[in-house]
Amino acid sequence: MSEKEKDILNEEDLASNEQSGGNEEQAETEMKSGQSAAETPVPEKTEKETKAPAHHNAQAAGPKAAAVPPTPAPASGNKLWMGIALVLAVVLVVVLIKPPFGKGGGSETVATVNGEKITKDKLYDTLVKAGGAQTLDGIISETLVDQEASKKGIKITQEDIDKEMAFFKKNYGSEEEFKAALAQNGLTEEDFKDQMNMQVKLRKLLEPEVKVTDEDVKKYFEENKASFDTPEEVKASHILVATKEEAEEILKQLKNGADFATLAKEKSTDPGSKAKGGDLGYFGRNMMYKEFEDAAFKLKEGELSGVVKTQAGYHIIKKTGYKAAHTATLDEKKAEIKDRLIYQEIMQKAPTWLSEVKAKAKITNTLEEAQKKKEADTSKQDADKKESGK
C-alpha cells in the first residue's frame, strides 16, 4: 500500500470520532467548492488567454478558463461524497526509509550541496518532523485493518477492486469528470486504484454490520428526488474562430461537403474540443453561452447552425445528439441509493470501529512517545521558570 493510501486512511478519520466530524465538515466545504467549479468553463486554457469555448459561468461577467475540466458537483449533498472528497484531497507525506537509497546505514549520503553531504539520517529526521507522526499513525491503522481482515479470512480480488472503482466513478459523474477531478488533485487513475485495497477491506469488515431498509431508501429518494432527474440535454460539436469572415468561409466549406471534424482539428481555436473534432459531448441548459445554447437546442440532429457570435468568438455548431428530460422513479434508483447509504454508514462506523480495535491492540509508537516526552519536558521547563521567577 502506498504512502498516499496511508494518508487517505488517516484522512478518512479512522483515528477518532471527534476528528471524523471535522473531516465531514471539511468535505462539505470542498463539495460546495466543487458545485461552484462545475459551473466554470471547461476549456484547457490559462486565465491570461482571452478566448474561451462555449462553456461559461452564467453568473460571471465573462468567461474564465480552467487548466482542466472542473470537479463535478455531486448529485446531492449526501455524505457519500465525504469519502470521495477525502480521497481526492489528500495531503501527501512521504517518509523515505527504504530504497531507492539502498541498504546503507543512516550516514549514507543521499545528496550533496557544493560538496557538503546530506545524509539519510538527516533526511529521515526532517521528514519525520514534517509529517512522520501522521504517516506512522496511518501505517498503524493500515496494519490493524490488515490484521482484522486476516482474522476474518477476508480476501481481496481484482474484481473487488474494479467494483469499488466503478462505484466511485458512477457516483462521481462521467468518466471525463472523474479523471478531471483526479488530475486536479495530482492523482492518476492507477494511483486511485492502488488506494482501493484498504477501502475494500473496510467495506468487507463493516458492511455486515450495516442495515439499510427499504424505508431508508424511500426516505432518501423523496428528500433528494430532484437530484436524480435527468434534464434535457443536447450533444454538439463546434468550430470556434476569431473572426466572422473566417467563420463564414468555414461554413461555406462545410456546406460544400467538407468534413466537420477535420476542419475543427485544423481551424478551431478551442483547445478543449479541437483534438476531438470539435465534440463537446452532451450538455444541458445554463452550461454554455446563451447564444450558443439557444442555437444548439434549436437545431435538428445533424444540422449545421449559421455563424453564432458569443464572447468567446464565432462558432459554427453541429448538433449530433439529443436526450429528452427524464423524471427518475424509486424503482430505477433503488439499488443505487442503497449502495450510497451503505457506504455512508460504513464511513460513519469506521472511526469508532478502529478506535475500538486500537484500544484492544498492543501498540508501541516511539514517535508518539518521543512527542509526549518532549511536551512533558517543555511543560516542566515552563513550570520551573515560573517557580524561579517568583
Side-chain angles (χ1 to χ4, degrees), residues 50-116:
T50 58
K51 297 296 181 183
H55 300 249
H56 84 296
N57 183 336
Q59 297 177 346
K64 294 180 181 179
V68 293
T71 304
S76 67
N78 62 78
K79 294 181 182 178
L80 163 70
W81 297 98
M82 179 178 72
I84 298 174
L86 293 172
V87 168
L88 297 182
V90 174
V91 177
L92 302 180
V93 180
V94 180
V95 179
L96 303 176
I97 56 176
K98 293 183 178 180
F101 300 126
K103 298 180 180 179
S107 61
E108 180 184 354
T109 300
V110 296
T112 61
V113 180
N114 296 323
E116 183 177 343

Side-chain angles (χ1 to χ4, degrees), residues 138-186:
I139 296 171
I140 290 170
S141 296
E142 171 200 347
T143 303
L144 288 169
V145 172
D146 284 340
Q147 289 174 351
E148 291 301 306
S150 180
K151 285 178 187 177
K152 297 192 175 182
I154 291 173
K155 303 292 182 183
I156 306 301
T157 66
Q158 187 58 49
E159 184 180 356
D160 293 327
I161 298 293
D162 292 343
K163 184 178 178 181
E164 196 74 8
M165 282 285 290
F167 169 78
F168 275 99
K169 286 183 179 181
K170 180 179 180 181
N171 285 284
Y172 206 84
S174 69
E175 182 78 14
E176 289 80 8
E177 289 169 331
F178 177 76
K179 288 182 178 179
L182 291 179
Q184 283 181 325
N185 289 277

Side-chain angles (χ1 to χ4, degrees), residues 193-355:
K193 186 178 289 186
D194 289 342
Q195 296 158 10
M196 289 297 99
N197 187 277
M198 186 59 58
Q199 186 76 28
V200 173
K201 284 179 182 175
L202 283 171
R203 183 185 284 275
K204 290 198 171 190
L205 282 164
L206 298 179
E207 191 166 355
E209 301 176 19
V210 173
K211 297 291 185 289
V212 174
T213 67
D214 288 343
E215 280 302 310
D216 294 330
V217 173
K218 183 179 180 181
K219 182 173 181 288
Y220 183 91
F221 178 76
E222 293 298 331
E223 290 176 351
N224 299 276
K225 193 171 182 179
S227 70
F228 293 108
D229 293 340
T230 305
E232 177 187 34
E233 291 183 316
V234 67
K235 185 179 183 183
S237 296
H238 81 138
I239 298 172
L240 172 66
V241 292
T243 68
K244 183 179 180 181
E245 292 73 22
E246 187 178 3
E248 288 175 340
E249 176 57 32
I250 291 171
L251 182 59
K252 182 179 179 181
Q253 293 178 48
L254 290 169
K255 288 182 176 180
N256 287 334
D259 181 66
F260 192 99
T262 300
L263 282 183
K265 290 176 182 178
E266 292 175 357
K267 306 287 187 180
S268 183
T269 60
D270 173 13
S273 67
K274 68 177 296 178
K276 298 181 288 186
D279 183 24
L280 294 168
Y282 279 95
F283 54 88
R285 297 283 182 178
N286 302 316
M287 293 178 67
M288 303 291 181
Y289 291 114
K290 187 176 187 305
E291 303 91 337
F292 187 100
E293 176 186 297
D294 288 345
F297 273 88
K298 285 178 182 177
L299 292 172
K300 296 177 181 178
E301 191 164 339
E303 185 181 5
L304 289 172
S305 71
V307 175
V308 178
K309 184 180 184 298
T310 71
Q311 293 178 44
Y314 295 86
H315 311 257
I316 299 140
I317 308 165
K318 181 179 181 179
K319 183 174 178 179
T320 56
Y322 177 78
K323 291 180 181 178
H326 175 70
T327 301
T329 66
L330 176 59
D331 285 342
E332 289 173 343
K333 297 298 179 180
K334 186 179 292 185
E336 178 184 334
I337 292 172
K338 188 170 184 177
D339 282 345
R340 288 188 180 194
L341 293 179
I342 287 172
Y343 179 81
Q344 175 182 318
E345 289 296 314
I346 288 171
M347 289 298 99
Q348 287 177 338
K349 285 179 177 291
T352 303
W353 174 83
L354 187 62
S355 293

